[in-house]
Amino acid sequence: MSQNQNTNENDVITLVDDDGNETLFNILFTFDSKDFGHSYILLYPADAAADDEVDIQAYIFDPEDGDNGELQLIESDEEWDMVEQVLNTFLADDGGMQ
């Protein structure tokens, strides 16, 4: 998956899949993990209504890559567990994505 075209707002990006299909996503938040040595980005579909249950996607990214950086899949179970813990803490502290 590649990140493409940062729009005028910093919290919306377009992802382009392997078939060239573009989908707009809102950036929920980004964070760094010293334990795994990566930066992570969590996204949800831009067309999701505020009261919809949405699938949140998480990727490894390099903030130095700019607007056309490649997003990497998270492959280890340990890394996924850590990302889920961070997400759960974020949602508990923030009261959701409102």
Side-chain angles (χ1 to χ4, degrees):
M1 249 325 126
S2 66
Q3 173 185 334
N4 189 11
Q5 310 176 321
N6 225 358
T7 63
N8 292 338
E9 299 174 288
N10 288 335
D11 60 347
V12 179
I13 64 171
T14 302
L15 293 187
V16 181
D17 67 16
D18 294 336
D19 296 326
N21 300 314
E22 296 182 357
T23 307
L24 247 139
F25 284 86
N26 290 323
I27 299 172
L28 183 58
F29 67 95
T30 62
F31 71 97
D32 299 320
S33 170
K34 291 182 181 174
D35 292 339
F36 290 97
H38 293 127
S39 295
Y40 300 88
I41 187 168
L42 283 83
L43 312 169
Y44 64 97
D47 60 0
D51 58 351
D52 281 352
E53 187 172 311
V54 297
D55 288 329
I56 296 172
Q57 298 184 28
Y59 297 95
I60 297 169
F61 82 110
D62 183 352
E64 306 287 319
D65 278 349
D67 291 349
N68 292 312
E70 290 291 318
L71 300 180
Q72 300 172 25
L73 296 176
I74 299 169
E75 296 182 1
S76 78
D77 289 340
E78 295 82 11
E79 226 167 341
W80 269 117
D81 290 343
M82 179 274 304
V83 169
E84 286 180 358
Q85 288 177 351
V86 171
L87 174 60
N88 290 337
T89 300
F90 171 82
L91 293 175
D93 290 348
D94 193 48
M97 298 184 301
Q98 300 170 24

